[in-house]
Amino acid sequence: MNKSASVKVYHGYGHTNDMVVYGHVFRFKAKTTQKFSDSSFVNILHLLKLFVVKPYPFVKVKLTFNGQEVYHKTEYDGFFKFEWKALEEVKAGWHTVQIVALDEQEQEIAVGIGKIFVPHITQYAFISDIDDTIMVSHSATIRKRLRELLIKNPRTRKTFKDLHQHYTALSLAHTEINQPNPFFYVSSSEWNLYDYLLETFRFYKLPEGAFLLNQIKRWKDLVKTGKTGHEGKLIRVMRILDVFPNQKFVFFGDNSQKDPAIYTAIVEKYPKNIEAVYIRNVRKDREKETKALLARITAQNVSTCFFNSSEEAMLHSRSIGLIVE
């Protein structure tokens, strides 16, 4: 095996007839074990390491899941996506998957282990943006966004007040405590930040879920982090709806960038699949255009909530019966 090569597997999702998992193969990836420190220098160094990567393009990868094997190749940036039908029924919960990178002689280059999330059959599923919807990120301003990323670590990043209570209540609404509603976190942030985001979400005890992020970047493109991929975000959200056509979805986003327009386009295409759309008001200068887009959503008989605080959003969730206490 190539000691400098590695396989990174991200949380996948699906059900028996449509399993999906993503990942990257790297020729080299800097060691990024996090030391949680109040030192800005330590935090900056750690963040920079997340972008010190050398992808392994067009290499063969083998997925093993419950004895089943599926083969694929990485793309030019080392990214791979497996989509397959399981040979046997897959029970709800988290399942282990192994991905092996192979050379031309079928010898192992590197191995990665990941997990796939198969939701219980529940009434609702939730799709949430991350930056400025869950975490204070200042996405619209490059300088402020980079300051949040560089100066703070995953445990000192701030989530919005009362958001934990809201998302936790939604995860348990209309279902059993051992069968939580599924959450999907979709962002324009890059896959470089996957472990960073995972640590933040676990530290703040947000509902476990699958992340769908944007194309990986190299260190020289760090200043562009989170500023691309909105079209890809639209496609990723629609892909989730296609995989789970029998569940009602609730969207969460903000008006710092393109969420209102993306969600409006999806609602107009899948009006019967969407229960509600929540938009956090973080850009006062965009209130008028946001309200105009939400009016189009309301016209499709989908409930909307344009809110300034998570407390407002929780009250709305109770008023439409999403949360029953």
Side-chain angles (χ1 to χ4, degrees):
M1 294 179 67
N2 186 334
K3 291 184 179 179
S4 62
S6 62
V7 177
K8 180 66 176 177
V9 189
Y10 310 115
H11 283 168
Y13 63 90
H15 53 74
T16 301
N17 295 315
D18 201 344
M19 307 288 285
V20 183
V21 72
Y22 305 89
H24 278 93
V25 181
F26 300 107
R27 288 186 185 274
F28 173 80
K29 186 177 187 295
K31 292 183 179 179
T32 54
T33 302
Q34 176 77 71
K35 293 181 180 179
F36 301 105
S37 168
D38 291 330
S39 166
S40 296
F41 175 78
V42 171
N43 293 330
I44 291 170
L45 184 62
H46 175 74
L47 183 76
L48 290 173
K49 283 183 177 181
L50 296 178
F51 289 80
V52 179
V53 295
K54 186 176 182 181
Y56 210 136
F58 312 117
V59 66
K60 191 174 184 179
V61 280
K62 179 180 73 173
L63 174 147
T64 303
F65 178 76
N66 290 348
Q68 181 179 4
E69 293 184 352
V70 184
Y71 291 84
H72 213 327
K73 274 195 172 184
T74 62
E75 298 176 12
Y76 72 95
D77 59 353
F79 183 76
F80 61 81
K81 173 187 175 183
F82 282 97
E83 188 171 0
W84 76 103
K85 181 177 180 179
L87 296 177
E88 300 176 354
E89 183 178 352
V90 183
K91 295 181 179 179
W94 289 93
H95 300 266
T96 300
V97 62
Q98 181 190 72
I99 310 289
V100 179
L102 303 168
D103 63 18
E104 293 180 357
Q105 288 74 44
E106 299 288 315
Q107 298 299 307
E108 291 186 2
I109 299 171
V111 180
I113 303 296
K115 289 185 176 181
I116 295 177
F117 177 50
V118 177
H120 292 269
I121 300 174
T122 57
Q123 185 175 357
Y124 296 109
F126 299 88
I127 295 177
S128 178
D129 178 56
I130 297 173
D131 291 314
D132 290 319
T133 300
I134 293 175
M135 299 165 62
V136 178
S137 303
H138 306 291
S139 298
T141 308
I142 293 176
R143 180 180 60 81
K144 288 184 178 181
R145 176 176 169 78
L146 283 175
R147 186 178 185 279
E148 286 291 317
L149 278 171
L150 290 168
I151 302 300
K152 298 179 180 178
N153 67 56
R155 295 185 179 182
T156 55
R157 290 294 298 274
K158 297 297 183 184
T159 59
F160 287 96
K161 186 176 183 291
D162 296 324
L163 182 134
H164 168 265
Q165 293 93 317
H166 191 195
Y167 278 34
T168 299
L170 291 170
S171 73
L172 300 175
H174 302 278
T175 187
E176 303 296 327
I177 193 167
N178 61 341
Q179 298 180 1
N181 294 310
F183 267 76
F184 300 90
Y185 301 109
V186 183
S187 174
S188 297
S189 293
E190 298 76 20
W191 285 112
N192 306 71
L193 297 172
Y194 177 78
D195 289 329
Y196 180 107
L197 293 170
L198 197 61
E199 177 61 32
T200 298
F201 279 52
R202 288 177 174 170
F203 181 74
Y204 286 104
K205 298 179 180 179
L206 294 173
E208 196 83 3
F211 287 77
L212 290 95
L213 306 180
N214 194 25
Q215 188 175 26
I216 204 161
K217 283 188 170 67
R218 308 288 288 275
W219 67 269
K220 61 184 179 180
D221 296 316
L222 178 58
V223 294
K224 301 176 184 177
T225 177
K227 298 302 292 182
T228 58
H230 299 297
E231 295 78 11
K233 187 174 178 180
L234 171 66
I235 293 169
R236 291 193 295 272
V237 172
M238 290 195 296
R239 176 72 191 113
I240 296 170
L241 268 66
D242 288 337
V243 173
F244 302 104
N246 298 319
Q247 283 169 305
K248 282 278 195 175
F249 281 84
V250 178
F251 294 158
F252 284 88
D254 61 84
N255 66 345
S256 67
Q257 296 189 69
K258 301 291 186 180
D259 287 347
I262 290 172
Y263 292 162
T264 299
I266 295 170
V267 167
E268 290 180 339
K269 184 173 182 178
Y270 302 89
K272 294 181 180 178
N273 299 80
I274 315 302
E275 183 72 17
V277 173
Y278 289 78
I279 297 294
R280 185 183 294 278
N281 185 19
V282 296
R283 290 280 301 273
K284 307 300 182 185
D285 59 320
R286 290 188 172 179
E287 284 189 12
K288 185 177 180 180
E289 64 180 277
T290 303
K291 289 178 179 178
L293 288 166
L294 292 179
R296 286 169 55 183
I297 293 175
T298 303
Q300 298 292 327
N301 294 317
V302 174
S303 183
T304 63
C305 179
F306 188 36
F307 64 98
N308 293 292
S309 70
S310 292
E311 184 180 13
E312 290 177 54
M314 275 192 289
L315 288 172
H316 180 272
S317 294
R318 292 190 181 98
S319 72
I320 65 171
L322 270 181
I323 298 175
V324 179
E325 295 174 337

